Amino acid sequence: MYFFLSILSLLDLSYATTTVPQMLIHLVSKSKTISYVGCVVQMYVFLTLGITETWIFAAMAYDRYVAICHPLHYGVKMSQTLCVLLAVSSALCGLTCALVYTVFAMNLPYCGPNEINHFFCEIPAVLKLACADTSLNDQVDFILGFVLLLIPLSLILASYVRIFIAILKIRSTQGRIKAFSTCASHITVVTMFCIPCMVMYMRPGSEASPEDDKKLALFYNVISAFLNPIIYSLRNKDVKRAFFKLVGTSEDTQ
């Protein structure tokens, strides 16, 4: 679990670093420009990290499934080799699919004015500047969105169906609460990240609102990455004890 959490932390840090520093500079600077190459690089890196994170979520769900449903075989089934393989395959999927996204988007003609109504180079915002038919790009976005969002979400859902069935078989209430608490953080983080991404990348470009897109992007790019460490840290007893001490309550009364 901590192996995947460390990867998730690195992805969130890199994810926000790709866009937030430039956004902050543009807020205080009169010059709000980015080069063509810089835009392409930002788009590719952002997509790579986002796609990789989606599959890491699926790997984490499988990890929880093995830990709860097959605890005695956990060390064998979740070997170090398998964990590394899951992480590498997630990264390769991110690198490959992000390249497809980026190539299809940047092969379109852009006649100007090249003013992106967004705070970074995200595909839906960039496609609005194209002076050509983007229906093929919409189809590509939908197909890749299906593969990169719905398939991992289906795997996550399947894992949690088995997990909840196993939890219901636990006789003690305390045991059920403890088992469920190991999953609550992951479910919350997946929901905050994947639902806005589905809305952003799986709807036709003609239905997209620039202002709504900016709000969605801000949520899954900045707010989600900011809340993830807090959500996972609240599972740590020392962090919980410090939090309860800060708010002036006893942990035993919670």
Side-chain angles (χ1 to χ4, degrees), residues 40-93:
V40 174
V41 171
Q42 186 183 61
M43 182 187 297
Y44 178 70
V45 173
F46 180 82
L47 286 168
T48 299
L49 295 170
I51 294 168
T52 302
E53 185 162 329
T54 305
W55 285 100
I56 289 294
F57 283 141
M60 293 173 73
Y62 177 72
D63 174 76
R64 293 297 83 210
Y65 159 72
V66 176
I68 292 175
C69 298
H70 305 282
L72 298 180
H73 300 111
Y74 181 79
V76 176
K77 290 192 174 186
M78 291 303 297
S79 63
Q80 185 176 4
T81 302
L82 178 60
C83 291
V84 172
L85 183 62
L86 288 172
V88 171
S89 59
S90 298
L92 289 176
C93 181

Short mmCIF file of all heavy atoms in Angstrom, two decimals, residues 40-93:
data_model
loop_
_atom_site.label_atom_id
_atom_site.label_comp_id
_atom_site.label_asym_id
_atom_site.label_seq_id
_atom_site.Cartn_x
_atom_site.Cartn_y
_atom_site.Cartn_z
N VAL A 40 2.87 22.27 -26.06
CA VAL A 40 2.86 20.84 -26.40
C VAL A 40 3.45 20.01 -25.27
O VAL A 40 2.89 18.98 -24.87
CB VAL A 40 3.64 20.59 -27.71
CG1 VAL A 40 3.75 19.08 -27.97
CG2 VAL A 40 2.95 21.27 -28.88
N VAL A 41 4.57 20.46 -24.72
CA VAL A 41 5.23 19.73 -23.63
C VAL A 41 4.33 19.69 -22.40
O VAL A 41 4.17 18.64 -21.76
CB VAL A 41 6.59 20.37 -23.29
CG1 VAL A 41 7.17 19.76 -22.02
CG2 VAL A 41 7.56 20.20 -24.44
N GLN A 42 3.73 20.83 -22.06
CA GLN A 42 2.85 20.88 -20.90
C GLN A 42 1.66 19.94 -21.08
O GLN A 42 1.28 19.22 -20.16
CB GLN A 42 2.36 22.31 -20.69
CG GLN A 42 1.54 22.48 -19.41
CD GLN A 42 1.00 23.89 -19.25
OE1 GLN A 42 0.22 24.36 -20.08
NE2 GLN A 42 1.41 24.57 -18.19
N MET A 43 1.07 19.94 -22.26
CA MET A 43 -0.07 19.08 -22.55
C MET A 43 0.32 17.61 -22.41
O MET A 43 -0.40 16.82 -21.79
CB MET A 43 -0.57 19.35 -23.97
CG MET A 43 -1.79 18.55 -24.38
SD MET A 43 -2.20 18.79 -26.13
CE MET A 43 -2.58 20.54 -26.14
N TYR A 44 1.47 17.24 -22.99
CA TYR A 44 1.89 15.83 -22.97
C TYR A 44 2.21 15.36 -21.55
O TYR A 44 1.77 14.28 -21.13
CB TYR A 44 3.10 15.64 -23.87
CG TYR A 44 3.63 14.23 -23.88
CD1 TYR A 44 2.90 13.20 -24.48
CD2 TYR A 44 4.84 13.92 -23.27
CE1 TYR A 44 3.37 11.90 -24.47
CE2 TYR A 44 5.31 12.61 -23.26
CZ TYR A 44 4.57 11.61 -23.87
OH TYR A 44 5.04 10.32 -23.85
N VAL A 45 2.97 16.17 -20.81
CA VAL A 45 3.35 15.78 -19.44
C VAL A 45 2.11 15.69 -18.55
O VAL A 45 1.96 14.74 -17.76
CB VAL A 45 4.37 16.78 -18.86
CG1 VAL A 45 4.63 16.49 -17.39
CG2 VAL A 45 5.68 16.73 -19.65
N PHE A 46 1.22 16.66 -18.68
CA PHE A 46 -0.02 16.67 -17.88
C PHE A 46 -0.85 15.42 -18.14
O PHE A 46 -1.33 14.77 -17.21
CB PHE A 46 -0.81 17.94 -18.23
CG PHE A 46 -2.11 18.07 -17.48
CD1 PHE A 46 -2.12 18.58 -16.19
CD2 PHE A 46 -3.31 17.69 -18.06
CE1 PHE A 46 -3.31 18.71 -15.49
CE2 PHE A 46 -4.51 17.83 -17.37
CZ PHE A 46 -4.51 18.34 -16.08
N LEU A 47 -1.02 15.08 -19.41
CA LEU A 47 -1.80 13.89 -19.76
C LEU A 47 -1.12 12.60 -19.29
O LEU A 47 -1.78 11.69 -18.79
CB LEU A 47 -2.01 13.83 -21.28
CG LEU A 47 -3.02 14.84 -21.85
CD1 LEU A 47 -2.93 14.87 -23.38
CD2 LEU A 47 -4.44 14.46 -21.42
N THR A 48 0.20 12.54 -19.45
CA THR A 48 0.94 11.35 -19.01
C THR A 48 0.74 11.09 -17.53
O THR A 48 0.44 9.96 -17.10
CB THR A 48 2.44 11.52 -19.31
OG1 THR A 48 2.63 11.66 -20.72
CG2 THR A 48 3.22 10.30 -18.83
N LEU A 49 0.88 12.13 -16.73
CA LEU A 49 0.74 11.99 -15.28
C LEU A 49 -0.70 11.63 -14.90
O LEU A 49 -0.94 10.79 -14.03
CB LEU A 49 1.17 13.28 -14.58
CG LEU A 49 2.65 13.66 -14.73
CD1 LEU A 49 2.90 15.06 -14.22
CD2 LEU A 49 3.54 12.66 -14.00
N GLY A 50 -1.67 12.27 -15.56
CA GLY A 50 -3.07 12.01 -15.25
C GLY A 50 -3.49 10.60 -15.59
O GLY A 50 -4.18 9.93 -14.81
N ILE A 51 -3.09 10.11 -16.78
CA ILE A 51 -3.44 8.75 -17.19
C ILE A 51 -2.76 7.72 -16.29
O ILE A 51 -3.36 6.73 -15.88
CB ILE A 51 -3.04 8.53 -18.66
CG1 ILE A 51 -3.90 9.43 -19.57
CG2 ILE A 51 -3.22 7.07 -19.06
CD1 ILE A 51 -3.40 9.52 -21.00
N THR A 52 -1.49 7.97 -15.97
CA THR A 52 -0.77 7.06 -15.07
C THR A 52 -1.46 6.98 -13.72
O THR A 52 -1.61 5.89 -13.15
CB THR A 52 0.68 7.54 -14.88
OG1 THR A 52 1.33 7.62 -16.16
CG2 THR A 52 1.46 6.58 -13.99
N GLU A 53 -1.91 8.11 -13.20
CA GLU A 53 -2.57 8.14 -11.89
C GLU A 53 -3.87 7.32 -11.91
O GLU A 53 -4.18 6.64 -10.93
CB GLU A 53 -2.86 9.59 -11.48
CG GLU A 53 -3.44 9.71 -10.08
CD GLU A 53 -3.31 11.11 -9.52
OE1 GLU A 53 -2.33 11.81 -9.88
OE2 GLU A 53 -4.15 11.52 -8.72
N THR A 54 -4.59 7.37 -13.01
CA THR A 54 -5.84 6.61 -13.11
C THR A 54 -5.59 5.11 -12.96
O THR A 54 -6.31 4.41 -12.24
CB THR A 54 -6.52 6.88 -14.46
OG1 THR A 54 -6.71 8.28 -14.62
CG2 THR A 54 -7.87 6.19 -14.54
N TRP A 55 -4.55 4.62 -13.62
CA TRP A 55 -4.25 3.19 -13.53
C TRP A 55 -3.62 2.82 -12.18
O TRP A 55 -3.78 1.70 -11.70
CB TRP A 55 -3.34 2.77 -14.69
CG TRP A 55 -4.08 2.69 -15.98
CD1 TRP A 55 -4.13 3.61 -16.98
CD2 TRP A 55 -4.94 1.63 -16.40
NE1 TRP A 55 -4.95 3.21 -17.98
CE2 TRP A 55 -5.46 1.99 -17.67
CE3 TRP A 55 -5.31 0.41 -15.83
CZ2 TRP A 55 -6.34 1.16 -18.37
CZ3 TRP A 55 -6.19 -0.41 -16.54
CH2 TRP A 55 -6.70 -0.03 -17.79
N ILE A 56 -2.90 3.77 -11.57
CA ILE A 56 -2.39 3.53 -10.23
C ILE A 56 -3.53 3.35 -9.24
O ILE A 56 -3.48 2.52 -8.33
CB ILE A 56 -1.45 4.68 -9.78
CG1 ILE A 56 -0.13 4.63 -10.55
CG2 ILE A 56 -1.18 4.61 -8.28
CD1 ILE A 56 0.73 3.41 -10.27
N PHE A 57 -4.62 4.12 -9.42
CA PHE A 57 -5.81 3.95 -8.59
C PHE A 57 -6.36 2.53 -8.70
O PHE A 57 -6.78 1.92 -7.71
CB PHE A 57 -6.90 4.95 -8.98
CG PHE A 57 -6.66 6.33 -8.49
CD1 PHE A 57 -6.96 7.44 -9.28
CD2 PHE A 57 -6.16 6.57 -7.22
CE1 PHE A 57 -6.76 8.73 -8.83
CE2 PHE A 57 -5.95 7.86 -6.75
CZ PHE A 57 -6.24 8.93 -7.56
N ALA A 58 -6.37 1.99 -9.93
CA ALA A 58 -6.86 0.62 -10.14
C ALA A 58 -5.94 -0.39 -9.44
O ALA A 58 -6.41 -1.36 -8.83
CB ALA A 58 -6.95 0.31 -11.63
N ALA A 59 -4.62 -0.16 -9.52
CA ALA A 59 -3.67 -1.04 -8.84
C ALA A 59 -3.85 -1.00 -7.32
O ALA A 59 -3.76 -2.02 -6.64
CB ALA A 59 -2.23 -0.66 -9.21
N MET A 60 -4.14 0.18 -6.79
CA MET A 60 -4.36 0.33 -5.36
C MET A 60 -5.64 -0.39 -4.92
O MET A 60 -5.71 -0.96 -3.82
CB MET A 60 -4.44 1.82 -4.99
CG MET A 60 -3.13 2.56 -5.17
SD MET A 60 -3.29 4.36 -4.93
CE MET A 60 -3.51 4.42 -3.15
N ALA A 61 -6.66 -0.37 -5.78
CA ALA A 61 -7.90 -1.09 -5.47
C ALA A 61 -7.65 -2.59 -5.41
O ALA A 61 -8.17 -3.30 -4.53
CB ALA A 61 -8.97 -0.77 -6.51
N TYR A 62 -6.84 -3.08 -6.35
CA TYR A 62 -6.50 -4.51 -6.33
C TYR A 62 -5.69 -4.86 -5.08
O TYR A 62 -5.89 -5.91 -4.47
CB TYR A 62 -5.70 -4.88 -7.59
CG TYR A 62 -5.26 -6.31 -7.63
CD1 TYR A 62 -6.17 -7.34 -7.84
CD2 TYR A 62 -3.92 -6.65 -7.43
CE1 TYR A 62 -5.76 -8.67 -7.86
CE2 TYR A 62 -3.50 -7.97 -7.45
CZ TYR A 62 -4.43 -8.97 -7.67
OH TYR A 62 -4.03 -10.29 -7.67
N ASP A 63 -4.80 -3.96 -4.70
CA ASP A 63 -4.01 -4.15 -3.48
C ASP A 63 -4.92 -4.27 -2.25
O ASP A 63 -4.73 -5.14 -1.40
CB ASP A 63 -3.05 -2.98 -3.31
CG ASP A 63 -2.31 -3.02 -1.99
OD1 ASP A 63 -1.38 -3.82 -1.86
OD2 ASP A 63 -2.66 -2.23 -1.09
N ARG A 64 -5.94 -3.42 -2.16
CA ARG A 64 -6.90 -3.49 -1.04
C ARG A 64 -7.72 -4.77 -1.09
O ARG A 64 -8.04 -5.36 -0.06
CB ARG A 64 -7.84 -2.28 -1.08
CG ARG A 64 -7.19 -0.93 -0.81
CD ARG A 64 -6.61 -0.84 0.59
NE ARG A 64 -5.28 -1.43 0.66
CZ ARG A 64 -4.75 -1.99 1.72
NH1 ARG A 64 -5.43 -2.06 2.84
NH2 ARG A 64 -3.53 -2.51 1.69
N TYR A 65 -8.06 -5.19 -2.31
CA TYR A 65 -8.83 -6.43 -2.48
C TYR A 65 -8.04 -7.63 -1.95
O TYR A 65 -8.57 -8.45 -1.19
CB TYR A 65 -9.18 -6.63 -3.95
CG TYR A 65 -9.51 -8.05 -4.32
CD1 TYR A 65 -10.72 -8.63 -3.91
CD2 TYR A 65 -8.62 -8.82 -5.07
CE1 TYR A 65 -11.02 -9.95 -4.24
CE2 TYR A 65 -8.91 -10.13 -5.40
CZ TYR A 65 -10.11 -10.69 -4.98
OH TYR A 65 -10.40 -11.99 -5.29
N VAL A 66 -6.77 -7.72 -2.32
CA VAL A 66 -5.95 -8.84 -1.85
C VAL A 66 -5.75 -8.77 -0.35
O VAL A 66 -5.82 -9.78 0.36
CB VAL A 66 -4.58 -8.84 -2.59
CG1 VAL A 66 -3.69 -9.95 -2.03
CG2 VAL A 66 -4.79 -9.03 -4.08
N ALA A 67 -5.53 -7.56 0.19
CA ALA A 67 -5.27 -7.39 1.62
C ALA A 67 -6.46 -7.81 2.47
O ALA A 67 -6.30 -8.39 3.55
CB ALA A 67 -4.89 -5.94 1.92
N ILE A 68 -7.69 -7.54 1.98
CA ILE A 68 -8.89 -7.82 2.78
C ILE A 68 -9.46 -9.20 2.48
O ILE A 68 -9.89 -9.91 3.39
CB ILE A 68 -9.95 -6.72 2.53
CG1 ILE A 68 -9.46 -5.39 3.10
CG2 ILE A 68 -11.30 -7.09 3.15
CD1 ILE A 68 -10.36 -4.21 2.80
N CYS A 69 -9.48 -9.58 1.22
CA CYS A 69 -10.10 -10.86 0.84
C CYS A 69 -9.14 -12.05 0.92
O CYS A 69 -9.58 -13.19 1.10
CB CYS A 69 -10.67 -10.77 -0.58
SG CYS A 69 -11.97 -9.53 -0.75
N HIS A 70 -7.85 -11.81 0.80
CA HIS A 70 -6.85 -12.88 0.87
C HIS A 70 -5.67 -12.45 1.74
O HIS A 70 -4.52 -12.42 1.27
CB HIS A 70 -6.36 -13.25 -0.53
CG HIS A 70 -7.44 -13.62 -1.49
ND1 HIS A 70 -8.07 -14.86 -1.48
CD2 HIS A 70 -8.03 -12.90 -2.48
CE1 HIS A 70 -8.99 -14.89 -2.42
NE2 HIS A 70 -8.99 -13.72 -3.04
N PRO A 71 -5.93 -12.13 3.00
CA PRO A 71 -4.86 -11.58 3.85
C PRO A 71 -3.68 -12.52 4.07
O PRO A 71 -2.53 -12.07 4.16
CB PRO A 71 -5.58 -11.28 5.17
CG PRO A 71 -6.78 -12.17 5.16
CD PRO A 71 -7.20 -12.27 3.73
N LEU A 72 -3.95 -13.82 4.13
CA LEU A 72 -2.86 -14.78 4.38
C LEU A 72 -1.96 -14.96 3.15
O LEU A 72 -0.83 -15.43 3.29
CB LEU A 72 -3.44 -16.13 4.80
CG LEU A 72 -4.26 -16.12 6.10
CD1 LEU A 72 -4.78 -17.52 6.41
CD2 LEU A 72 -3.42 -15.60 7.26
N HIS A 73 -2.47 -14.61 1.99
CA HIS A 73 -1.67 -14.74 0.76
C HIS A 73 -1.17 -13.39 0.25
O HIS A 73 -0.66 -13.31 -0.87
CB HIS A 73 -2.50 -15.41 -0.34
CG HIS A 73 -2.98 -16.79 0.00
ND1 HIS A 73 -4.29 -17.10 0.23
CD2 HIS A 73 -2.29 -17.95 0.18
CE1 HIS A 73 -4.42 -18.37 0.51
NE2 HIS A 73 -3.21 -18.92 0.49
N TYR A 74 -1.34 -12.36 1.06
CA TYR A 74 -1.02 -11.01 0.61
C TYR A 74 0.46 -10.88 0.19
O TYR A 74 0.78 -10.32 -0.86
CB TYR A 74 -1.34 -9.98 1.69
CG TYR A 74 -1.06 -8.56 1.29
CD1 TYR A 74 -1.94 -7.86 0.47
CD2 TYR A 74 0.11 -7.91 1.70
CE1 TYR A 74 -1.69 -6.55 0.09
CE2 TYR A 74 0.38 -6.61 1.31
CZ TYR A 74 -0.52 -5.93 0.51
OH TYR A 74 -0.25 -4.65 0.13
N GLY A 75 1.35 -11.40 1.02
CA GLY A 75 2.78 -11.29 0.73
C GLY A 75 3.19 -11.99 -0.54
O GLY A 75 4.15 -11.59 -1.21
N VAL A 76 2.45 -13.06 -0.90
CA VAL A 76 2.78 -13.81 -2.11
C VAL A 76 2.15 -13.15 -3.34
O VAL A 76 2.82 -12.96 -4.36
CB VAL A 76 2.27 -15.27 -1.99
CG1 VAL A 76 2.52 -16.03 -3.29
CG2 VAL A 76 2.95 -15.97 -0.83
N LYS A 77 0.85 -12.80 -3.23
CA LYS A 77 0.15 -12.24 -4.38
C LYS A 77 0.61 -10.82 -4.72
O LYS A 77 0.70 -10.46 -5.89
CB LYS A 77 -1.36 -12.25 -4.13
CG LYS A 77 -1.96 -13.65 -4.13
CD LYS A 77 -3.48 -13.60 -4.16
CE LYS A 77 -4.07 -14.99 -4.31
NZ LYS A 77 -5.55 -14.98 -4.48
N MET A 78 0.87 -10.02 -3.69
CA MET A 78 1.34 -8.65 -3.94
C MET A 78 2.85 -8.59 -3.72
O MET A 78 3.35 -7.86 -2.87
CB MET A 78 0.62 -7.67 -3.02
CG MET A 78 -0.86 -7.49 -3.33
SD MET A 78 -1.18 -6.95 -5.04
CE MET A 78 -0.39 -5.36 -5.08
N SER A 79 3.56 -9.34 -4.53
CA SER A 79 5.01 -9.36 -4.42
C SER A 79 5.61 -8.05 -4.92
O SER A 79 4.93 -7.27 -5.61
CB SER A 79 5.58 -10.53 -5.24
OG SER A 79 5.29 -10.35 -6.61
N GLN A 80 6.85 -7.82 -4.58
CA GLN A 80 7.52 -6.59 -5.01
C GLN A 80 7.59 -6.53 -6.54
O GLN A 80 7.43 -5.47 -7.13
CB GLN A 80 8.93 -6.52 -4.42
CG GLN A 80 9.65 -5.22 -4.73
CD GLN A 80 11.01 -5.13 -4.04
OE1 GLN A 80 11.43 -6.08 -3.39
NE2 GLN A 80 11.67 -4.01 -4.19
N THR A 81 7.80 -7.69 -7.16
CA THR A 81 7.87 -7.75 -8.63
C THR A 81 6.55 -7.31 -9.25
O THR A 81 6.53 -6.53 -10.22
CB THR A 81 8.22 -9.18 -9.09
OG1 THR A 81 9.46 -9.58 -8.50
CG2 THR A 81 8.33 -9.24 -10.61
N LEU A 82 5.44 -7.81 -8.70
CA LEU A 82 4.13 -7.44 -9.24
C LEU A 82 3.85 -5.96 -9.04
O LEU A 82 3.32 -5.29 -9.94
CB LEU A 82 3.03 -8.28 -8.58
CG LEU A 82 1.59 -7.96 -9.02
CD1 LEU A 82 1.43 -8.21 -10.51
CD2 LEU A 82 0.58 -8.77 -8.22
N CYS A 83 4.20 -5.42 -7.88
CA CYS A 83 3.97 -4.00 -7.61
C CYS A 83 4.74 -3.12 -8.60
O CYS A 83 4.19 -2.16 -9.15
CB CYS A 83 4.39 -3.66 -6.18
SG CYS A 83 3.32 -4.36 -4.90
N VAL A 84 5.99 -3.47 -8.84
CA VAL A 84 6.81 -2.72 -9.80
C VAL A 84 6.23 -2.86 -11.20
O VAL A 84 6.17 -1.88 -11.97
CB VAL A 84 8.28 -3.19 -9.76
CG1 VAL A 84 9.08 -2.55 -10.88
CG2 VAL A 84 8.90 -2.88 -8.41
N LEU A 85 5.78 -4.07 -11.54
CA LEU A 85 5.21 -4.30 -12.87
C LEU A 85 3.94 -3.48 -13.08
O LEU A 85 3.73 -2.89 -14.15
CB LEU A 85 4.89 -5.79 -13.04
CG LEU A 85 4.34 -6.23 -14.40
CD1 LEU A 85 5.36 -5.94 -15.50
CD2 LEU A 85 3.98 -7.71 -14.39
N LEU A 86 3.09 -3.40 -12.06
CA LEU A 86 1.87 -2.61 -12.15
C LEU A 86 2.19 -1.12 -12.32
O LEU A 86 1.55 -0.41 -13.11
CB LEU A 86 1.00 -2.81 -10.90
CG LEU A 86 0.31 -4.17 -10.77
CD1 LEU A 86 -0.35 -4.31 -9.40
CD2 LEU A 86 -0.73 -4.36 -11.86
N ALA A 87 3.19 -0.65 -11.58
CA ALA A 87 3.58 0.76 -11.66
C ALA A 87 4.17 1.09 -13.03
O ALA A 87 3.83 2.11 -13.64
CB ALA A 87 4.58 1.09 -10.56
N VAL A 88 5.05 0.22 -13.53
CA VAL A 88 5.69 0.46 -14.83
C VAL A 88 4.67 0.40 -15.96
O VAL A 88 4.68 1.24 -16.88
CB VAL A 88 6.82 -0.57 -15.07
CG1 VAL A 88 7.34 -0.48 -16.50
CG2 VAL A 88 7.95 -0.34 -14.08
N SER A 89 3.76 -0.58 -15.91
CA SER A 89 2.74 -0.70 -16.96
C SER A 89 1.80 0.51 -16.94
O SER A 89 1.37 0.98 -18.00
CB SER A 89 1.95 -2.00 -16.80
OG SER A 89 1.31 -2.05 -15.53
N SER A 90 1.51 1.04 -15.76
CA SER A 90 0.68 2.25 -15.66
C SER A 90 1.39 3.43 -16.31
O SER A 90 0.77 4.22 -17.05
CB SER A 90 0.39 2.58 -14.19
OG SER A 90 -0.35 1.55 -13.57
N ALA A 91 2.69 3.56 -16.06
CA ALA A 91 3.47 4.65 -16.64
C ALA A 91 3.58 4.52 -18.16
O ALA A 91 3.44 5.51 -18.89
CB ALA A 91 4.87 4.69 -16.02
N LEU A 92 3.78 3.30 -18.66
CA LEU A 92 3.87 3.08 -20.10
C LEU A 92 2.55 3.40 -20.79
O LEU A 92 2.53 3.98 -21.89
CB LEU A 92 4.28 1.63 -20.39
CG LEU A 92 5.72 1.26 -20.05
CD1 LEU A 92 5.96 -0.22 -20.29
CD2 LEU A 92 6.70 2.10 -20.87
N CYS A 93 1.45 3.03 -20.15
CA CYS A 93 0.13 3.36 -20.69
C CYS A 93 -0.05 4.87 -20.76
O CYS A 93 -0.56 5.41 -21.75
CB CYS A 93 -0.96 2.72 -19.82
SG CYS A 93 -2.64 3.04 -20.40
#
